[in-house]
Amino acid sequence: MKNIICVVLILGMAALWLGSCQKDDANQQSQADAQVRVKVVNKDGEKISGIKVKMYDEATYSLFEKDNTVQPNLTEDTNTDGVATFNLNYNIWLGQPEGKVFMFVVQFGQGTVNHQIWSSGKTIKPGSREDIDIKLTNYPSEPEQPCLTFH
């Protein structure tokens, strides 16, 4: 009888110990940094290097929609693979387990005339690794032709 009680106590303690470890792992994951890889391609799907990709949080993007001269929260250039990588520190950018919405923008020109804007957004959660594609449908554009387009 004593052996059964000892086994039950040991198993109970092991279960409590394992359960507490899982909570720590889940907590660490919910506060982990995230990474977003934005791939920029032309209308034929060919990667484009050297393109400036802007990142906006929801509040700043709301302002940007009204005034496309609003400065982004972050900016990264695409590499030779056409990818701009944004490493988002949990404490600075995310701050909550459910994540936040970010918009990624490629923009040529600004103001009220002769500009082009392409964008894509996503909810970014802590610890996630996200891929976003932006296709520049008329890149490069003809600079002589005025255009006012949002894609």
Side-chain angles (χ1 to χ4, degrees):
M1 185 71 171
K2 284 185 179 182
N3 289 340
I4 292 174
I5 292 173
C6 286
V7 168
V8 169
L9 285 174
I10 291 171
L11 289 174
M13 293 169 85
L16 286 173
W17 179 72
L18 289 173
S20 67
C21 289
Q22 290 173 349
K23 287 180 187 174
D24 289 343
D25 291 345
N27 189 41
Q28 287 175 350
Q29 180 65 20
S30 70
Q31 294 185 1
D33 297 346
Q35 184 180 74
V36 181
R37 294 172 34 94
V38 180
K39 182 166 82 172
V40 179
V41 298
N42 66 17
K43 65 182 177 187
D44 299 321
E46 298 166 342
K47 57 191 171 193
I48 309 172
S49 63
I51 297 292
K52 186 176 300 296
V53 179
K54 302 175 182 184
M55 184 191 85
Y56 294 90
D57 61 18
E58 276 186 288
T60 310
Y61 188 75
S62 179
L63 297 171
F64 174 77
E65 287 181 305
K66 297 174 182 111
D67 174 6
N68 66 33
T69 64
V70 169
Q71 293 300 306
N73 301 104
L74 280 179
T75 302
E76 294 289 341
D77 291 336
T78 57
N79 60 20
T80 55
D81 292 325
V83 176
T85 302
F86 293 85
N87 293 305
L88 305 179
N89 178 281
Y90 175 83
N91 293 320
I92 296 171
W93 295 109
L94 303 169
Q96 56 193 32
E98 58 274 4
K100 288 186 177 178
V101 174
F102 292 97
M103 295 297 293
F104 298 89
V105 174
V106 173
Q107 177 179 4
F108 295 111
Q110 57 179 276
T112 57
V113 295
N114 206 24
H115 67 273
Q116 295 175 286
I117 298 171
W118 298 266
S119 63
S120 184
K122 194 170 202 177
T123 299
I124 308 301
K125 295 185 178 182
S128 67
R129 303 289 178 258
E130 304 289 343
D131 291 322
I132 293 176
D133 293 336
I134 297 180
K135 186 178 212 176
L136 308 186
T137 52
N138 52 343
Y139 173 83
S141 66
E142 300 291 328
E144 307 86 44
Q145 298 175 347
C147 58
L148 176 62
T149 58
F150 275 85
H151 301 277

